Amino acid sequence: QQQVKQSPQSLIVQKGGISIINCAYENTAFDYFPWYQQFPGKGPALLIAIRPDVSEKKEGRFTISFNKSAKQFSLHIMDSQPGDSATYFCAASGNYGQNFVFGPGTRLSVLP
Amino acid sequence: KAGVTQTPRYLIKTRGQQVTLSCSPISGHRSVSWYQQTPGQGLQFLFEYFSETQRNKGNFPGRFSGRQFSNSRSEMNVSTLELGDSALYLCASSWGNSPLHFGNGTRLTVT
């Protein structure tokens, strides 16, 4: 019940295309859903986050879609760029930001 | 504001030795969490400290321990190192209901 499932494991997209990464959770106590971006040799960095009271959040080219009834959320990267090539982790937490659980990660490659 | 600082960046140890890793959180952040990252297991939660007390603990053996000091700086210790302990160890700090802010990690190699 504490797991967060993430797919796909890897993703190859052409420059200018849309990258979509999906996550699913079981624990209905989760109330905060961030996405992290990690480049080689660096720690994960917060990209965008959403709470379950909204169904969508957009920041620049990055959008989170959230489906509370299906217990699913996804990251959309519009107009993908080679600089977006990184590993993306979805996560979930509850209880005032404690007990973060991370998905296994998606390695995104954007071809020039 | 300075970010989360982890030292050292790289460590090479021999099986059976022990190691101590250090983490300085963002100023004002009182919660420090530690994660182990490996290619096969992803990000695995080790433990979280808040106000010098361990608040949460992951499913790791007792060889993994940590502590937090009054200035919120934290250390984690791994005793009797095994080859499988080779990983990137990440520290993250947060305040209240804020998201986790990660350091760049310590790469531990056990030979």
Side-chain angles (χ1 to χ4, degrees), chain A residues 38-108:
Chain A
Q38 185 178 28
F39 293 104
K42 300 289 187 181
L46 178 68
L47 189 62
I48 187 172
I50 197 168
R51 295 197 182 274
D53 53 344
V54 296
S55 60
E56 185 175 282
K57 183 174 181 180
K58 183 176 180 180
E59 290 184 2
R61 295 184 295 110
F62 301 92
T63 300
I64 299 179
S65 296
F66 186 83
N67 186 329
K68 188 175 181 178
S69 60
K71 290 184 283 187
Q72 295 175 347
F73 58 110
S74 60
L75 175 69
H76 292 62
I77 306 175
M78 312 299 288
D79 186 26
S80 298
Q81 299 296 312
D84 297 331
S85 298
T87 300
Y88 292 81
F89 295 93
C90 62
S93 78
N95 193 22
Y96 299 100
Q98 296 183 45
N99 302 322
F100 279 85
V101 179
F102 285 84
T106 295
R107 180 170 289 185
L108 171 65

Side-chain angles (χ1 to χ4, degrees), chain B residues 79-95:
Chain B
S79 62
T80 321
L81 284 166
E82 300 177 359
L83 295 178
D85 297 333
S86 294
L88 179 67
Y89 289 88
L90 291 161
C91 167
S93 72
S94 65
W95 179 84

